[in-house]
Amino acid sequence: MPSDFGPIADKWSRRPARSHVVCGVDLARRRNASCLFLFAAVVSAAVLTSRYRLEHPDDHPYGHPTSIGKQAYAVSFKKAVAGQTTLSSEPVDDVEDYAAGDNTWDSVDNSGDWESDDDWLAPTKPVGWDPLYRNTAPLTEITIKSCVLPPGFYDLCAPTSSKKEDALRGKWVRVDRDLNRRVGIYYLYLYERRLLPNSQAAVITDVKLLTHSPTADDLSAGGMWTELSDSIRTGVWPRMPAMFLHYKVTEQSDVRAARKASTDGSAGALEPITEFDVVYGGDEVQPLYGYEIVPTYITGGPDDKEAAKLDATDNKGRVGSRLAVRRAPVALPATPVLRFTPEGKFNILQVADLHFSVGPGACRNVDPERESECKKVGADKYSLDWLETAIDTTKPDLVVFSGDQLNGQDTSWSSQSGILKWAPTLWSRQIPWTVIFGNHDGELDLSLEDQMTLMKSMPYFVGQAGPSNVDGTGNYVKPIRSADTSNTTLFNLYFLDTHAIAKSLNPWEKGYDWLKASQINWFKGQSSRVKSINRPYQPKAGSTNVKGSAARPSRPKTKPGKKPAKPKPVAEAPKEAVAAPHIEATAPPATAPELSTVDFLGHAEDVSGGADPVNVPPIDALPDDNLNGFADAVAEKLGEPTPAELAAMTADDSDVKKKRQTSDDELNQELGDIGAIGDDAAVPEGLGSEGSLGAAVMPDDGSNVADGPMTDSDVPNEGDNPTSEELESAFGDLFDDAEPTVLPAGPTKAKPMEAKPNAISFLHIPLPEVYDAPIDIGMDGKRLVTGERFEGRGAPKFNSGFFTQALLAQGELVKDASEDSPDEFWEGEFSAPTTGRPEVKVVANGHCHITEDCRRVKGVWMCFGGGGSYSGYGRAGFARRMRVYEVSEYGEKIETYKLLDTKKKIDQMVLAGTGAVGESA
């Protein structure tokens, strides 16, 4: 310090140096040794614990263990007398030599390694754990390790291993499924080592889980069995009896000999294991294709008291887990081509809203007659039995799962387990199947892309993820071709992702998302590439059918083994009966569709008592000068307050507002005031005039969106809705002159045309037009709608224009090339180079479980599948159902009906083609 600072410098120079602070205590000053003692205790405990964990297992293995490194204990068996085995206390020579440090595995002669034609052994792509990857190299070692933190940037669970061990025996790879998931207090993982090139190491050929000392009956003879040092139930809470994993290793020469001795080239029981997987859930959860279940439950089995608490009411209790192994990878059968039969028929079964969980699933809104049966086996298993019944009854050529296959909401925490409940039902019957995703399918551990990848590894799946530059996952087209070798596309199926909940900066604002501009362009582009054919199509005389098409290989085959019990039929509730038919079918259906008089809000009303139906015309049929005062006229006719009177009411009149069934917004919406159109419309980014996709439409403020099922008190009944007589009195003077909806002429037998094939589009969340647009009027003067609705609006608040700019814009007749260029159209032009009726004749929706009606809007039928599962919400008296589409006459005729869980068919009707609803007076 310079002396110029004088006494100040001397003061600071005489100040003692700042002492070190450890654990908040000044050791230099207070000499407190408590922290040192605590530190020493922690270090000592860690060292002692590590030594104990490495040298002595938590639960000592049965038999006489011999250490082979730090991960496992080897127990060798040799035959003494018939039916008995004795434990040998002598370690296996190779293992002892290696444990002692001799590089036995490195010094062996590799000249006699696996034969060149044994491609399953050849080391494949060096990847981490991937149960879908067909890795043919066998496993040589496995172990289990626990840790308190999940593996992430650094794997704390990883077994200790030196670089030398990794080089000689391969690196440990984690089977990335926590054995203690949702059942333990810390993490537990299985690790595996795979055979290296030119290695003579023995390979794993068998696995056992035992809670007792092994006997001859438990462990097969031959080879060497290894018992892992840690219980595979380590960390499970509440605790369970210890269970140890045993695996058997067999010499490579023995495997070769077994293969040569067999007729099919398989080593049978000695076929090496190439991969492990963990399966969560009960018996209804099957393993991945090509895997087999290790029979003993780790958790959730008969010895698990917590599993007994798991019921079908609240899903509380311990969900079980099991191991699955794959031996030689099994090749997938070829992806089937969808074809009509030689007679020109193709049947589609729509399965809507399964809502499956990992556990048994909660039975929701089930009739008393079925409730006890449902709870006994669980809602998911009960729904699976019903699904099998529907498949065996309808014999579909394709099964479409139309969204919300998984329940989400924290009960489907393993997407794979939920999917593997229902997917094996399809591939075991060799039926092509596909999916679209719903709003709950993305709430899980696997993304929609990963779920699609998972399903593509399963037999007979025909779905696709779709182009990456189009919003959503699962935008794709599947053609249905002719049975002959011409492979003519006779029908198309469009599948689109309707997303989930719309993103918003306002956390209190929620609503369903909408189809995006990229999807509109994609649809128009795909449609523009469809080739026109001479319709109605007739196969050429003497044409050769594709091999197998006559036998209809896609028809379900009987599943081997005992079939599960099906739900017992119960008497149909009186409410299920729908009103008298208003459609004259060409052939008597099983149960004729019944007329549903729909009031001005779209609520279906049963008029089976004989009252005359009321024909409510589209808004276009009303005089322009009646639009503004129409709501007042309706209110006056029904004796209710007008919208202006409602607005003037005070807070004391709130009970009057509640009694009124409809709001001003709802009334205007149904009467045609569908929101802002033009420059003042609220347009999301990417739409509007700049996007050349037409004006955006905001039809509804979303105030009546129902997030879940309506309670019985919310469902309209006779006391809430106007009766048919009231509607006739209110609307008769306005609707008597309603004109039928006339569609352009289409191909017929009398007048064939060059036209694009018909199509069906599958969407999970319905379009706004299902609720907002006027319903077409048939040539007989009746509104083209049948079925019931028992819940609120399930469509997006925002209308992106998919109905008008995609479905209606793509007609079945292609214009002359000189008028519009398909290339320009593909770039997103609003005007499509087509005319005539819409190419898409039907839009099939899911999402709304207790809505199952069909209505035609501007020539397009929009139909709901109705809830098909007991695991999803329902309504008392409303039977579970699935919708069937029967396409015949080589794609010209589309017929539909609903199959109830009583095996009763209802509302059978022709939507397009000969005898179509509303086509004749």
Side-chain angles (χ1 to χ4, degrees), residues 546-627:
V546 176
K547 183 179 179 181
S549 61
R552 302 198 69 177
S554 62
R555 287 292 189 177
K557 297 182 179 180
T558 303
K559 186 177 180 180
K562 184 179 179 181
K563 294 184 67 61
K566 303 295 189 298
K568 297 179 180 179
V570 296
E572 187 65 23
K575 184 59 183 177
E576 199 55 57
V578 194
H582 72 288
I583 300 163
E584 295 182 3
T586 56
T591 300
E594 300 169 342
L595 171 65
S596 293
T597 298
V598 180
D599 64 18
F600 51 86
L601 290 178
H603 297 119
E605 181 182 1
D606 186 359
V607 293
S608 56
D612 294 332
V614 178
N615 301 323
V616 183
I619 194 64
D620 297 340
L622 296 175
D624 292 338
D625 55 354
N626 282 341
L627 292 178

Side-chain angles (χ1 to χ4, degrees), residues 737-757:
D737 297 330
E739 294 294 332
T741 304
V742 179
L743 300 178
T748 61
K749 292 181 180 180
K751 188 179 179 181
M753 296 181 181
E754 285 286 327
K756 294 193 294 185

Side-chain angles (χ1 to χ4, degrees), residues 600 614 626 629-643 645 660 667 671 721-736:
F600 51 86
V614 178
N626 282 341
F630 189 69
D632 294 339
V634 171
E636 182 179 355
K637 290 284 185 180
L638 298 179
E640 296 185 353
T642 64
E645 292 171 341
R660 172 155 184 167
L667 196 57
L671 297 176
N721 266 343
T723 64
S724 56
E725 290 81 4
E726 290 175 323
L727 289 171
E728 180 71 33
S729 174
F731 304 139
D733 55 341
L734 295 173
F735 297 160
D736 285 343

Side-chain angles (χ1 to χ4, degrees), residues 245-284:
L245 188 151
H246 302 71
Y247 67 91
K248 176 184 177 180
V249 292
T250 304
E251 295 297 329
Q252 297 181 21
S253 58
D254 294 337
V255 177
R256 290 195 202 95
R259 285 185 162 185
K260 291 179 179 179
S262 67
T263 57
D264 59 356
S266 171
L270 293 183
E271 191 66 38
I273 293 174
T274 61
E275 195 56 272
F276 278 85
D277 192 16
V278 178
V279 177
Y280 305 108
D283 292 337
E284 64 275 13

Side-chain angles (χ1 to χ4, degrees), residues 377-595:
V377 298
D380 291 0
K381 178 62 169 61
Y382 201 61
S383 299
L384 278 175
D385 294 344
W386 154 229
L387 174 61
E388 291 189 355
T389 299
I391 291 174
D392 296 339
T393 302
T394 60
K395 295 178 171 54
D397 299 295
L398 174 69
V399 177
V400 177
F401 294 87
S402 57
D404 279 358
Q405 288 76 245
L406 304 176
N407 189 50
Q409 306 171 79
D410 201 44
T411 68
S412 302
W413 42 268
S414 171
S415 305
Q416 176 174 306
S417 295
I419 293 171
L420 286 173
K421 284 188 177 184
W422 49 266
T425 303
L426 283 305
W427 82 55
S428 64
R429 288 169 166 77
Q430 301 182 15
I431 303 176
W433 57 283
T434 190
V435 303
I436 54 175
F437 292 118
N439 52 295
H440 288 296
D441 292 319
E443 302 174 349
L444 312 165
D445 57 334
L446 292 182
S447 66
L448 299 183
E449 293 83 357
D450 290 338
Q451 291 183 46
M452 190 67 76
T453 300
L454 173 65
M455 287 183 278
K456 289 181 68 175
S457 71
M458 301 175 186
Y460 302 101
F461 179 70
V462 298
Q464 299 172 359
S468 59
N469 60 342
V470 177
D471 289 279
T473 302
N475 302 295
Y476 58 100
V477 186
K478 296 304 296 185
I480 305 177
R481 303 183 183 275
S482 61
D484 57 28
T485 54
S486 68
N487 286 322
T488 305
T489 297
L490 303 180
F491 202 89
N492 283 307
L493 303 174
Y494 291 92
F495 302 88
L496 290 101
D497 183 3
T498 54
H499 315 293
I501 303 300
K503 296 180 181 179
S504 175
L505 296 176
N506 184 354
W508 292 277
E509 179 184 5
K510 63 177 180 178
Y512 297 118
D513 210 345
W514 51 85
L515 291 169
K516 309 300 181 181
S518 63
Q519 293 175 288
I520 296 176
N521 274 338
W522 171 85
F523 176 87
K524 293 164 69 176
Q526 294 297 313
S527 177
S528 69
R529 298 178 181 182
V530 175
K531 295 182 178 180
S532 297
I533 60 175
N534 188 23
R535 291 176 45 196
Y537 173 84
Q538 290 296 329
K540 296 180 180 180
S543 60
T544 304
N545 291 330
V546 176
K547 183 179 179 181
S549 61
R552 302 198 69 177
S554 62
R555 287 292 189 177
K557 297 182 179 180
T558 303
K559 186 177 180 180
K562 184 179 179 181
K563 294 184 67 61
K566 303 295 189 298
K568 297 179 180 179
V570 296
E572 187 65 23
K575 184 59 183 177
E576 199 55 57
V578 194
H582 72 288
I583 300 163
E584 295 182 3
T586 56
T591 300
E594 300 169 342
L595 171 65

